[in-house]
Amino acid sequence: MRPSPDSRAWIDVSADALRVNLRQVFDAVGRDGWVVPMVKADGYGLGALDVVRALQPLAPAGWGVATVDEGVALRDGGVVGPVIVFSPSPPQALRAAVEFDLAVAVSDVGSLEALAGIAERRGRPARIHLEIDTGMGRAGFPAGQVAAWGPRVGALLRTESVRWEGLHTHFHSADEVGGPGVEEQLSAFGTVVETLDPPPEVRLHTANSAAAFRLGAAAGGARPGIFVYGGAIGRDLPVPRPVASLRARVVRVVDVEPGATVGYGATYRAGVAERWATLAVGYGDGLPRALGNRGHALLAGRKVPLVGRISMDLTVANISGIDGVEAGNVATLVGRDGVEEITLDEVAAQAGTISYEVLTGLATRLPRIWTDVD
Ligand SMILES: *Cc1c(COP(=O)(O)O)cnc(C)c1O
């Protein structure tokens, strides 16, 4: 293994794996396709500015965030290219969006009018991506009601103070085998495009990670997230290269008598004489508490079970039958160690959640250790 930090626990992040994964998205939608990697939630928990630095060589068309604050943080970090804010923004946040030249996904007439007003007073056009709700039901102008909102919105988008840059929708089930609903949503989106008849410079984009691989060039443009970060996107679709590994050091090794208990609630009891290793990581680091008595760690090249409940700062593994483990050794909770591997998606499934939630739940107290940066 690589030289590792002195920390008690950390996340190894491979910049090279990020690039390999994004390159696969480019290959799927076409080399000259419009691809905007999503770096919201601090780059799916790994560090948005570091992700931007790692992916910059592939020259994507811009960067996607969820909030205006995230966009401002990119600007503060020196990102000068296009940044698009995808979640609907509260009225209070719109001024900063124009101020920092962030494009905004708009879901309602009120926001569009407010942005046009701010832009006019500021003397700088508001960059707009119009979101269409084709079934997600959380944001966007309702596709089925385009006859009602289309004329007013179409007119606003063609005013001086507005730069209409994009028109997009978001799929709800592209990650399920066969991508049920993708065709239906695409067709609803197509009807709206026909009705609004946007000028040619308006970019149409529809694809999350899974849809980029299902639709290829037909996606228009892609906004990939989880695939780039190493999360699986559907059992019938390509598998990404793992990006993040969660490591923790052993801080105690003990041989226990039959009947010894471990963790809050004493939910595990040694049936025979056992050896336990305490790992310096817990749910306070984002290791899902649901992995107690279910999850595994890799230690000394072996896959060992986690025993007892996971604490905020500590977790115990049963290393019975394994010699030579001592304080300071490195355990892997997510990732590869030799021939053994615990994938991000395995951990998510065991914890009853998805890779997205595991990644974005990784706490800031874990240093992110980047490799292959350049
Ligand atoms: C998060 C997000 C994506 C990325 O989705 P993945 O499933 O992570 O690829 C794309 N578009 C929008 C609007 C999003 O909010």
Side-chain angles (χ1 to χ4, degrees):
M1 219 188 305
R2 282 180 300 277
S4 43
D6 296 334
S7 314
R8 58 180 266 283
W10 67 93
I11 303 162
D12 283 322
V13 188
S14 167
D16 198 43
L18 273 179
R19 286 189 287 265
V20 167
N21 293 340
L22 182 59
R23 212 167 281 130
Q24 263 194 274
V25 176
F26 270 104
D27 288 344
V29 301
R31 276 284 165 176
D32 51 358
W34 186 92
V35 176
V36 167
M38 297 302 294
V39 298
K40 60 189 177 182
D42 202 21
Y44 285 50
L46 301 181
L49 282 169
D50 290 311
V51 170
V52 166
R53 230 163 272 138
L55 295 179
Q56 193 78 72
L58 277 73
W63 309 99
V65 294
T67 74
V68 171
D69 284 349
E70 290 176 344
V72 171
L74 291 187
R75 291 284 184 248
D76 285 347
V79 177
V80 292
V83 173
I84 307 165
V85 178
F86 277 104
S87 286
S89 300
Q92 293 82 351
L94 297 177
R95 183 173 307 278
V98 176
E99 196 61 38
F100 287 86
D101 205 20
L102 310 172
V104 185
V106 166
S107 284
D108 66 286
V109 174
S111 299
L112 195 48
E113 286 171 340
L115 281 160
I118 294 165
E120 203 167 343
R121 287 190 295 279
R122 178 68 176 74
R124 161 189 277 180
R127 302 176 185 275
I128 306 292
H129 288 243
L130 198 73
E131 175 160 5
I132 308 303
D133 181 6
T134 56
M136 268 301 278
R138 63 177 190 185
F141 288 85
Q145 300 165 27
V146 64
W149 56 260
R152 172 85 182 120
V153 169
L156 277 166
L157 286 167
R158 289 170 172 85
T159 57
E160 279 275 296
S161 45
V162 167
R163 190 163 298 159
W164 186 8
E165 296 188 334
L167 180 56
H168 67 286
T169 193
H170 192 58
F171 296 116
H172 52 64
S173 306
D175 58 332
E176 288 172 31
V177 174
V182 166
E183 289 306 322
E184 197 182 326
Q185 285 188 265
L186 207 52
S187 148
F189 181 62
T191 303
V192 173
V193 174
E194 252 173 60
T195 308
L196 294 180
D197 190 24
E201 66 271 18
V202 175
R203 167 61 61 172
L204 309 184
H205 51 99
T206 65
N208 56 7
S209 297
F213 290 95
R214 284 203 194 286
L215 297 173
R223 311 176 302 264
I226 197 66
F227 184 87
V228 179
Y229 298 97
I233 53 169
R235 280 179 290 122
D236 56 339
L237 293 174
V239 176
R241 193 178 283 194
V243 170
S245 308
L246 173 56
R247 320 269 189 204
R249 289 192 189 278
V250 173
V251 288
R252 179 196 193 226
V253 176
V254 65
D255 290 306
V256 300
E257 308 295 324
T261 62
V262 57
Y264 289 110
T267 60
Y268 181 86
R269 190 178 286 272
V272 294
E274 293 183 356
R275 176 170 296 166
W276 294 343
T278 302
L279 313 180
V281 67
Y283 66 77
D285 299 290
L287 184 68
R289 186 169 173 277
L291 296 179
N293 287 318
R294 307 187 69 175
H296 293 84
L298 308 179
L299 195 49
R302 305 262 296 271
K303 193 166 184 172
V304 295
L306 305 182
V307 288
R309 285 191 188 142
I310 291 177
S311 298
M312 188 185 295
D313 317 297
L314 297 168
T315 294
V316 175
N318 184 351
I319 58 165
S320 299
I322 302 177
D323 290 326
V325 174
E326 57 183 26
N329 288 173
V330 177
T332 298
L333 284 303
V334 177
R336 183 176 277 286
D337 181 7
V339 295
E340 293 285 353
E341 184 176 16
I342 299 173
T343 69
L344 175 62
D345 283 279
E346 252 176 84
V347 166
Q350 274 185 336
T353 182
I354 54 175
S355 56
Y356 303 68
E357 194 180 24
V358 173
L359 279 181
T360 57
L362 295 170
T364 52
R365 81 169 164 186
L366 294 172
R368 274 63 170 164
I369 309 294
W370 285 76
T371 52
D372 330 306
V373 170
D374 259 327

